[in-house]
Amino acid sequence: MREILGRRRRLLSRRGDEGPDLIGAALTFAAEWQWPVLPGVAADPQDGSRCACPDPECTVPGAHPFDPGLLAATTDARMVRWWWANRPTAPIVLATGGKAPCAVSLPALPAARALAALDRRGMRLGPVVASPTRWAILVKPYSLEQLGELLYAQDFVPGSLRFHGEGGYLALPPSVTAQGEVRWERAPLPGSASPWVPDVEAVVDAVVDALTRTGVSAPEM
C-alpha cells in the first residue's frame, strides 16, 4: 500500500506524454487527505486564454467552479473518479474552509520576495500553490470573525492580499487553467497524512511584515 501511495504522490506534479495526471492528484486530495474537490470550468477550447464560462469578464478564467457548483465538492473517491473520467482535463478545484485548508494569496513577484524573507527568518511554511500570476500559502481553516479580528489588528494590509476561506476555492496542481499551469512552489512532504499547514495569524503577520521590510509594493491584482 505504501508503494501505491508514494507513486500517487509523485504523480501530483508529474507531466507525461498525455499531460498531468489530474485524476491521480484529485484522488490523493479527496480520498487520502480528505480535502473536498470538484472539477473546474476549464479554459475555452477555442481560445485557451479565456474562460469557458458564460462571463466574458471572468477574473479567474478556467480556475473556478461552474457546473457542478462549489457545494458539490466532495471527498468521495467514486464521485471524483466519475468526474475526471468524463472530464479528464478539468482543473482540480479545492473548496476551502470547513475541515479543508484555507489560503492566503498574493501576486507572484511579491509572493516570491516574501517567501524568501520568511525563509531567512526560519519561518515554517506548509504547501504553497503557484500559478503564473498568484501564489497561495495554505493555512489552517479560519472563521470570518477570526479573519476580521486579525486584519483589524494590522497597521497595514496590502490590498492585493486575498483570503480563500469558508465558501472559497483554489485551483490545485497539476491543473492547467486559462492563465497557465498551476504547480507547487512548496510541495507537500511525502507521507500518508494530510499535509501540515500553519495558522493564518502567523502567515498574515509574517507576509505583511516581510512585504513592509523588503519595500515591496504589491500591485492591485
Side-chain angles (χ1 to χ4, degrees), residues 44-69:
D44 187 329
Q46 305 300 322
D47 181 355
S49 65
R50 300 177 64 85
C51 191
C53 76
D55 182 3
E57 304 298 326
C58 181
T59 58
V60 282
H64 65 89
F66 178 63
D67 183 18

Side-chain angles (χ1 to χ4, degrees), residues 152-163:
Y152 182 77
Q154 300 291 325
D155 293 329
F156 164 74
V157 178
S160 58
L161 282 180
R162 293 179 187 167
F163 300 91

Side-chain angles (χ1 to χ4, degrees), residues 142-152 163 200 204:
Y142 57 79
S143 66
L144 185 61
E145 292 77 14
Q146 182 182 3
L147 179 62
E149 293 176 1
L150 173 60
L151 297 181
Y152 182 77
F163 300 91
V200 65
V204 171

Side-chain angles (χ1 to χ4, degrees), residues 9-94:
R9 285 190 179 82
R10 288 195 296 274
L11 291 174
L12 284 174
S13 300
R14 196 180 84 178
R15 178 182 291 275
D17 295 337
E18 298 180 358
D21 179 46
L22 290 161
I23 190 169
L27 284 169
T28 295
F29 300 139
E32 296 180 27
W33 297 352
Q34 294 297 293
W35 293 2
V37 299
L38 74 164
V41 67
D44 187 329
Q46 305 300 322
D47 181 355
S49 65
R50 300 177 64 85
C51 191
C53 76
D55 182 3
E57 304 298 326
C58 181
T59 58
V60 282
H64 65 89
F66 178 63
D67 183 18
L70 185 62
L71 292 179
T74 184
T75 59
D76 185 275
R78 294 171 298 177
M79 192 73 241
V80 169
R81 288 192 188 95
W82 186 87
W83 274 333
W84 271 273
N86 288 276
R87 299 169 60 180
T89 62
I92 304 169
V93 174
L94 168 70

Side-chain angles (χ1 to χ4, degrees), residues 205-219:
D205 288 345
V207 167
V208 169
D209 183 64
L211 293 176
T212 303
R213 288 178 180 273
T214 56
V216 174
S217 177

